[in-house]
Amino acid sequence: MLCFHQLQSMAPLNFLPSLLLSLLLSHFPTPSLSDTGSIGINYGRVADNLPQPSKVVQLLKTQGMNRVKLYDTDSSVLTALSGSDIRVTVALPNEQLSSAAAAQSYTDSWVQSNIAAFYPSTQIEAIAVGNEVFADPKNTTVYLVPAMQNVYNSLVKYNLSSIKVSSPIALSALQASYPSSAGSFKSDLIEPVIKPMLSFLQKTGSPLMANVYPFFAYTGNTDVISLDYALFNANQSEAQVDSGNGLRYNSLFEAQIDAVFAAMKALQYNDVKLEVTETGWPSKGDENEAGAGGANAAAYNGNLVRRVLTGGGTPLRPNEPLNVFLFALFNEDQKPGPTSERNYGLFYPNEDKVYDIPLTVEGLSNSSSESTPVNGSKTQVPTPTPAAGGGGDVSAAATAGQTWCVANGKAGVQQLQKGLDYACGEGGADCRPIQKDATCFDPNTVEAHASYAFNSYYQMKSRGPGTCDFSGAAYVVTQPPKYGTCEFPTGY
């Protein structure tokens, strides 16, 4: 992963009668989980304190993760993954591209030693030939497509052609990305490498791999990109409408992906699919890395998982499920660069969670009242909680600065009313402003009243972990809520 700043734009309090409530709820469709995407994770090892590969495999299994991406073909890791039913993407590193491009005999030997020796007991499903090659300061671009072709030829030679061959690109390969419909590749890359690579992917049925980081775009352009838009938290008024095609974007992530799709379409490779091989958000960063922090990392990755696993594609390709690899499994203490580079992990090296988010459909159903398709709608996850022994990074981040707790309209009227009644009753929230004729009674809706009550409770509890949850009916935002003229408190 390299850091490239890619500019991208950015009820009433009384109980409802049970019959009326059931009629209302009957109009909320039950989501279909068919044609959903998949969540995998990157297992990087640029660290001196990580658990043994056998323990890592057990960790993946306990978390319900069945796809993992590596940055090499380390034999101890591939051996540990044998018989695990975890699908694996391996990599041929950039420094081997020139040798792989020069002779098929080299890739024959590489495939025999690193693929055939482990397959099929280790379920290798794809090979990433290089990583962000166009951004490699050693200028290995000229070797990329010949290396990909030789690797593929070697797979065919050894009857392994079901394994896909591709190469992850950084969004810096785009010349234009805003609006998404204007997406285009850099002109100096198109003829030498982009067209030959897309032609290869088209012929072999492999997806284009892309590393997509809204964090980089946000932290480099906080004046034009809202944090909520980068974290999948944008409401309808904050959504971005593409001036070129009229499509509405509720998240920067989807807008960035569609810019890649548009760039491929401009070259007439509209049938090539895309897989997001890296995306994530750091739980720590330097002072100049705006947005880095545990609460934002939990919000981004948690909302992303929900977005992927509840089905649907992007506005430009709505019927094409998203397949995504989170970055990364562990914090890696030996990575160079800014503090953020060492803090993308979902887990500390001791296997404690940096923050707690659901990673599977089952986890989503346990963390929220319903799993609702979110294409074109707002999605959230419960407030993150710090892991035991994890240093409390998320707790500190979640309680620092100005944050508010608001209702998740997708939880449904019944769940919101239940949370509202608790907050205003046993919870002890100050609900006087949402009584009739009071300052925050209007708008007179369950969602608006629940938002006020949830926030009152959240602030009263000092914005502590787990105090903005209400069984998945609430979530934290970083911008002041807007319900009529009502002003929400930020502390007591």
Side-chain angles (χ1 to χ4, degrees):
M1 176 191 58
L2 299 175
C3 297
F4 298 101
H5 297 169
Q6 193 76 8
L7 177 59
Q8 178 72 57
S9 178
M10 348 186 331
L13 282 173
N14 298 326
F15 281 107
L16 289 171
S18 59
L19 178 58
L20 175 59
L21 192 58
S22 63
L23 288 172
L24 283 170
L25 293 175
S26 69
H27 287 81
F28 287 84
T30 301
S32 169
L33 293 179
S34 60
D35 299 324
T36 60
S38 66
I39 290 289
I41 197 159
N42 283 276
Y43 172 20
R45 305 191 320 282
V46 187
D48 60 6
N49 54 2
L50 299 182
Q52 292 298 312
S54 57
K55 293 190 68 179
V56 174
V57 171
Q58 288 306 309
L59 175 64
L60 291 170
K61 294 177 76 171
T62 59
Q63 297 301 313
M65 302 298 291
N66 60 11
R67 298 188 78 199
V68 67
K69 179 172 161 285
L70 311 176
Y71 290 90
D72 54 22
T73 52
D74 183 270
S75 61
S76 64
V77 176
L78 292 177
T79 299
L81 286 162
S82 177
S84 66
D85 291 327
I86 296 173
R87 290 176 288 158
V88 186
T89 294
V90 299
L92 185 147
N94 289 6
E95 54 266 26
Q96 297 183 39
L97 289 178
S98 60
S99 298
Q104 192 184 324
S105 59
Y106 182 90
T107 56
D108 283 351
S109 176
W110 187 86
V111 166
Q112 282 183 304
S113 300
N114 297 285
I115 308 298
F118 300 96
Y119 185 90
S121 56
T122 299
Q123 295 185 20
I124 300 171
E125 64 174 343
I127 299 170
V129 177
N131 184 54
E132 299 188 345
V133 173
F134 309 147
D136 188 344
K138 295 182 180 178
N139 195 21
T140 52
T141 296
V142 66
Y143 306 118
L144 178 59
V145 177
M148 292 171 70
Q149 187 65 60
N150 280 346
V151 169
Y152 178 76
N153 291 343
S154 296
L155 290 173
V156 171
K157 183 176 182 177
Y158 298 111
N159 298 315
L160 298 169
S161 59
S162 62
I163 297 173
K164 303 300 183 183
V165 177
S166 188
S167 183
I169 65 168
L171 292 193
S172 59
L174 296 181
Q175 183 165 289
S177 62
Y178 176 77
S180 297
S181 58
S184 61
F185 291 107
K186 288 182 175 176
S187 56
D188 61 325
L189 294 174
I190 290 175
E191 294 300 332
V193 64
I194 296 294
K195 279 187 175 180
M197 180 174 67
L198 292 176
S199 179
F200 169 85
L201 296 175
Q202 186 182 60
K203 290 174 183 176
T204 60
S206 297
L208 175 66
M209 296 175 170
N211 297 340
V212 180
Y213 284 94
F215 170 72
F216 297 151
Y218 170 75
T219 195
N221 303 279
T222 56
D223 56 332
V224 292
I225 299 176
S226 78
L227 182 59
D228 283 338
Y229 185 57
L231 297 178
F232 297 86
N233 284 345
N235 58 37
Q236 290 299 317
S237 65
E238 295 167 326
Q240 303 291 319
V241 177
D242 189 310
S243 59
N245 55 25
L247 294 175
R248 176 180 289 269
Y249 288 89
N250 288 63
S251 73
L252 179 55
F253 175 80
E254 292 173 296
Q256 288 180 319
I257 290 175
D258 274 0
V260 180
F261 282 142
M264 289 196 289
K265 183 177 181 180
L267 300 180
Q268 278 145 39
Y269 289 96
N270 200 36
D271 55 341
V272 175
K273 297 185 182 298
L274 184 143
E275 184 164 84
V276 178
T277 36
E278 286 185 22
T279 191
W281 197 282
S283 60
K284 283 184 181 179
D286 294 322
E287 189 173 333
N288 64 343
E289 294 185 285
N296 288 341
Y300 178 80
N301 283 320
N303 287 334
L304 172 66
V305 169
R306 185 179 301 278
R307 174 69 187 82
V308 169
L309 295 183
T310 52
T314 63
L316 194 58
R317 294 195 188 181
N319 299 318
E320 191 169 305
L322 294 165
N323 295 307
V324 173
F325 286 90
L326 300 177
F327 186 89
L329 185 57
F330 295 111
N331 283 343
E332 298 173 70
D333 67 341
Q334 293 188 323
K335 293 198 73 174
T339 297
S340 61
E341 287 292 308
R342 294 175 288 283
N343 290 280
Y344 274 88
L346 271 62
F347 292 87
Y348 295 101
N350 66 0
E351 300 183 47
D352 284 341
K353 293 180 179 180
V354 177
Y355 45 83
D356 194 7
I357 61 169
L359 294 169
T360 62
V361 172
E362 182 182 9
L364 289 174
S365 64
N366 291 335
S367 69
S368 177
S369 60
E370 52 182 43
S371 295
T372 308
V374 296
N375 191 24
S377 64
K378 188 172 182 177
T379 57
Q380 314 294 340
V381 292
T383 303
T385 56
D393 295 332
V394 172
S395 179
T399 57
Q402 290 189 331
T403 56
W404 295 263
C405 181
V406 297
N408 179 3
K410 293 298 179 180
V413 175
Q414 186 176 41
Q415 190 69 23
L416 293 182
Q417 186 71 57
K418 182 179 178 181
L420 173 58
D421 293 333
Y422 172 81
C424 293
E426 183 181 344
D430 181 9
C431 294
R432 289 171 297 178
I434 52 176
Q435 301 298 323
K436 187 172 177 59
D437 297 326
T439 55
C440 291
F441 179 73
D442 290 320
N444 181 18
T445 66
V446 171
E447 182 176 347
H449 287 179
S451 290
Y452 190 92
F454 292 167
N455 183 67
S456 175
Y457 179 86
Y458 173 64
Q459 303 295 342
M460 182 183 70
K461 295 294 184 180
S462 301
R463 302 189 291 275
T467 60
C468 181
D469 185 351
F470 297 93
S471 299
Y475 56 89
V476 173
V477 295
T478 57
Q479 296 182 357
K482 295 178 182 177
Y483 290 96
T485 59
C486 180
E487 293 186 5
F488 281 40
T490 58
Y492 290 102

